[in-house]
Amino acid sequence: MGDMTNNDFYTKNQRNDSNHAGGFGCSLMELRSLMELRGTEAVVKIQEDYGGVEGLCQRLKTSPTEGLDGDATDLDKRKEVFGQNLIPPKKPKTFLQLVWEALQDVTLIILEIAALISLGLSFYQPPGEGSESCGTANAGAEDEGEAEAGWIEGAAILLSVVCVVLVTAFNDWSKEKQFRGLQSRIEQEQRFQVVRGGQVIQLPVSDIVTGDIAQVKYGDLLPADGILIQSNDLKIDESSLTGESDHVRKSADKDPMLLSGTHVMEGSGRMLVTAVGVNSQTGIIFTLLGAGGEEEEKKEKKVKKQDGAAAMEMQPLKSAEGGEADDKEKKKTNVSKKEKSVLQGKLTKLAVQIGKAGLVMSAITVIILVLYFSIDNFVLQKKPWLPECTPVYIQYFVKFFIIGVTVLVVAVPEGLPLAVTISLAYSVKKMMKDNNLVRHLDACETMGNATAICSDKTGTLTTNRMTAVQCYVGDVHYKQIPDPSSIPHKTLDLLVNAISLNSAYTTKILPPDKEGGLPKQVGNKTECGLLGLVLDLKRDYQTVRNQIPEEKLYKVYTFNSVRKSMSTIIKLPDSSFRMYSKGASEIVLKKCTRILNEAGEPRVFRPRDRDEMVKKVIEPMACEGLRTICVAYRDFPADPEPNWEDENNILTDLTAICVVGIEDPVRPEVPDAIQKCQRAGITVRMVTGDNINTARAIAIKCGIIHPGEDFLCIDGKEFNRRIRNEKGEVEQERIDKVWPKLRVLARSSPTDKHTLVKGIIDSTLVEQRQVVAVTGDGTNDGPALKKADVGFAMGIAGTDVAKEASDIILTDDNFSSIVKAVMWGRNVYDSISKFLQFQLTVNVVAVIVAFTGACITQDSPLKAVQMLWVNLIMDTFASLALATEPPTESLLMRKPYGRNKPLISSTMTKNILGHGVYQLIIIFTLLFVGEQIFDIDSGRNAPLHSPPSEHYTIIFNTFVMMQLFNEINARKIHGERNVFDGIFRNPIFCSIVLGTFAIQVVIVQFGGKPFSCSPLDLEKWMWCVFLGMGELVWGQVISSIPNSKLRFLRGAGQLSKKDELPEEEMNEDQEEIDHAERELRRGQILWFRGLSRIQTQIEVVNTFKSGTSFQGALRRQSSTTSQNQDVTNVSSPSHVSLCNAFSSPTSTAAPSGQC
């Protein structure tokens, strides 16, 4: 793409410069050079050359308030003159390039060479035609011109290599295509707010043109370069371009330059778009990257991951935390992502081990064949090596070599990476339908291993439709929204103004889309709730806003996670100032010194009044799960004008107007989804910025905590107190004391969230490393999303920054979609295991058959071409069939596999060995006594180039039939009985099994010489199918054998994780100790219980004997019981929970608190 695109641009630019850019008052190059200036330099330049931003707007034929008129011809002209907001993607690899890459596979190259040698030799007729002295070489080779057919085997091998290559290339190609589809989907997701014709509309980023007026707000990722027209407290993170991690304050009079690809960290504003696409700052960097050509391939690869418009611009922003050198950061993120995929790691290890084993086997096979042949001919029969026989001997050796390579080909599971790719690609496609937009493929599989989810509250667990339901105003606590007449007129006016002006003007409540629906909330949902309150009080916020448009706001302190409040200052007609403030009630009330009473007059508000208010108003609201917001104001004199930068002195001494309780109902499907997570062994934690009481109330509604359980609900302050030492440093062992019981973290800052996630991931408390998923929507959630194993960003409420840092985007912001992601993740893992179980069975059997057959009969019972066909079924087709099984709810019934759990479980090992044994018995029986059973000629010890025998065809056919039926067995890996369960829900599986069967019939009946097959009659076919079906019966037999009987499988399961063996064994021993301990404890408890009963009975008897009061005895009895209870408690701290479980009703169980 590089140079060409650049030149295109320059030629266009020169043409444009000549006629001043198609009627616009400035050219593309002028704007490009203007955007390279910064700070005051830029302000001066704009002022001198264009007469300020207004002048520039006139030249670009746009209005700073109304924007472009949106006329289609005008937009097209702008795109032509100033370029589109797209960065042309790198060309995808062509199919031929992919074919060439597939050909680089070593085993295939070896096969090709062998096949070529075999071809060459078959065309070479040795002199000394038919000389008997060449030993067994030519015996029987001449009949029916069979010698001429010697080239067929070489050609057939080449043909099958072509097949394998084409299939691989096609898979890669479709994978790439899917990835690009995914990318374009991500791009369409990114929209931006632009003013056109005086209306604010959301546009796809690629439709933005030079001259547009864009509205910038907190959390945006800027899609183009522009110049600020007006701003409130705007701060930008430019680290992606400059590497400076400090936020840069922007304002129209000091530093108005906004650059594409940078993040808005605070505030809001409007900008005039001056450069888009390849002419924007990020675009220029990309063009340079592309222009570097081939030696920059490596960098391009990173870039290629994100094609097209906005997503391209997001690429250099890897350093959301504000990294110094971008490259370092890139490497870091790459490494962390690489190391993440547990499955890929385990598979690579496994494939390497299998490959090594295969290599050894094939080498031994070749050596044995060559030695056997040489010893047999030259030592035992004492034949001399005749020069004219050399080609014949070489032909033999090549045949041996081909058999060896075939063993290798069958041993190496090329299908593994293929199965993973297919499974992941299929899952990602299907997850789209479940509202999961996967940005990194491996996230999908990591999700299956998740052990903890840290979720936001607002919007994820709740519906994010805020409605004001209670308020405290004029000294009265109203349980529903009061009638406007009952509120003092003065207070009402103040309240309406405070809410209407002190909120983002982009926040609106629009009429519903459908008749009778709920009104549409646009913008910040909490503000929508407050605006709703204004409408409920029969007032209109829009009229207030029209009186004081956004430009007239004197100063705005926007909301951020530190302030937890937002304030707006306006100039009153008498030149004095008024500040409206709103925010979290406990924070704003601390700054209030007065409050409006029932007459609408301010009265003194002392700290003790505040404490009373917290108890009587705020806590009751919060306990009902309401979010409490306090609205306040303060007046300032006109002279002297306060120092607005001195925030601490401005935001004090406020007068409270009212406290509003806003309800955000729990999503109806969430409690069920959380229950599923808990069943599946995943702990759900709520991390929220809300008040602790509100958070606890919502957590109980969701089912994150159940009353009476032992858990922690703490706020950020308490959390930090517990995890930091005297120096204020975070200590891992302190976190370890907190996180296992922590369920709700309230009033938390983004750093708390990051600390918690990091603490859980780094913890060594539990043997399995915790795999943590995190949801986030705000700009400040970026670090936590990046740190987590899987980061979920909100598709609707999420800011671009959060989406950029995430692995999966939830397009419906719904928690239950996360549960779907877990299900898909586990499904990927299971699909791979199913495929492995099937694949390894075939490998084991084929290798052993080829090896022993070659050693005993000097010829593999399964020929090279047949092996390649088997390889094709097992690898490509089976991976397709088994990797596309749809997930079922039952996947959520088991605990997550840990990171260290071996890939091949003991059940799978049992299946692999069991089926292997069955297949080997059948094949060796057919090989050595098959000719007697079927009454046919033996195929053993056939000379070179002899026609295919029925005997070996039956072996080949039976082998394939057994694989087909074993493929059905492989559908279940946890030892389930019903292997047909849900088979019709997977049409791909059914069609592949039937298709393979059909092709097999064609190969056997019409394959002839190339496939070394001779046609079989119906009876023999029935026998082959019957022996194949035996697999299903045998599968039932295997699943009847309990794993505990097969102790040796424990070690076998560790196949893929050699280095972690010691740890594993240790854990097992520990488990056994635990078990023994538990038995012991159980014994103790029963013993104590028995003892206490005997004591009771003795007491009762004594009581009757002595006639003392029965009550007293009972009292004493209960005290002895409780002592016993205490004894069991003391003796088993780790199993405290047992004391309740085992105490029978008669022994008055200890109160649950004790347990």
Side-chain angles (χ1 to χ4, degrees), residues 121-139:
L121 287 172
S122 66
F123 288 125
Y124 169 66
Q125 273 300 319
E129 186 54 39
S131 64
E132 282 307 304
S133 51
C134 291
T136 49
N138 283 353

Side-chain angles (χ1 to χ4, degrees), residues 457 461 666 674 686 693-706 713 743-744:
K457 174 177 81 67
L461 300 173
V666 172
I674 285 182
M686 181 202 284
N693 296 330
T694 311
R696 190 186 287 120
I698 299 275
I700 289 174
K701 281 184 192 164
C702 295
I704 291 179
I705 52 182
H706 303 286
C713 290
R743 290 294 175 274
V744 176

